[in-house]
Amino acid sequence: MTATRPRDLVVAFVAAVVVGNLLVRLSYGSLPGFPAPAGATLAVLGIAEAVAGWVLKGRVDRRPGSKPVEPLVAARAVLVAKASALGAALVGGLWTGLLLYTVPRASEVTAAAADTLAGAVGLVSALLLVGGALWLEHCCRAPSDHDDTHRGRGTA
């Protein structure tokens, strides 16, 4: 399994920005208002994945006093991380599409000002989830079987 490529996340993000902005432009007048904490759930998930990564890193690195992590557990964590990163990139793109529409109108339209706050919370929360997911994925990497002393460095 390969690591999540940043370009995949960027492509998903940009595609979601375009689609989200188009949808908002076509239907903003008929949409209900977005509550400010609407996207905050993503931040909670991002923090949870970052904490899980920190815990798993200790087990993967076989720190003293920690139980070794089973390969299937690490594989499942990586799958969750990859899916979360991609999903958060898509949702972050949708929030950005909303922001591209509401920010220029926020000083003139009360609903746009409220939706701008919701969009900002959603975008920041999506970015937190992307970060937490990438950290979890990074923490599940197996430690190198060879250190520098086995590669001919550091020997006398």
Side-chain angles (χ1 to χ4, degrees):
M1 187 177 317
T2 61
T4 300
R5 294 180 298 205
R7 77 168 182 211
D8 295 341
L9 297 178
V10 170
V11 167
F13 178 82
V14 170
V17 168
V18 171
V19 170
N21 189 261
L22 181 62
L23 289 173
V24 169
R25 286 184 185 278
L26 293 174
S27 62
Y28 187 71
S30 63
L31 291 174
F34 295 95
T41 305
L42 298 178
V44 173
L45 292 173
I47 291 167
E49 288 193 19
V51 169
W54 181 73
V55 170
L56 278 173
K57 183 149 181 62
R59 293 178 61 193
V60 168
D61 290 344
R62 297 185 179 118
R63 290 187 187 137
S66 65
K67 288 176 39 178
V69 66
E70 294 186 31
L72 192 56
V73 170
R76 286 178 179 159
V78 169
L79 289 176
V80 166
K82 289 175 83 62
S84 295
L86 182 59
L90 289 169
V91 172
L94 293 174
W95 283 118
T96 302
L98 173 70
L99 286 171
L100 288 174
Y101 184 81
T102 60
V103 167
R105 293 161 181 79
S107 63
E108 302 162 1
V109 180
T110 306
D115 291 342
T116 297
L117 176 61
V121 169
L123 178 58
V124 169
S125 296
L127 292 174
L128 281 172
L129 180 53
V130 168
L134 292 176
W135 172 249
L136 175 59
E137 182 179 337
H138 171 77
C139 291
C140 290
R141 291 183 182 166
S144 176
D145 291 337
H146 299 85
D147 60 13
D148 287 342
T149 58
H150 289 105
R151 292 187 198 141
R153 296 186 185 131
T155 58

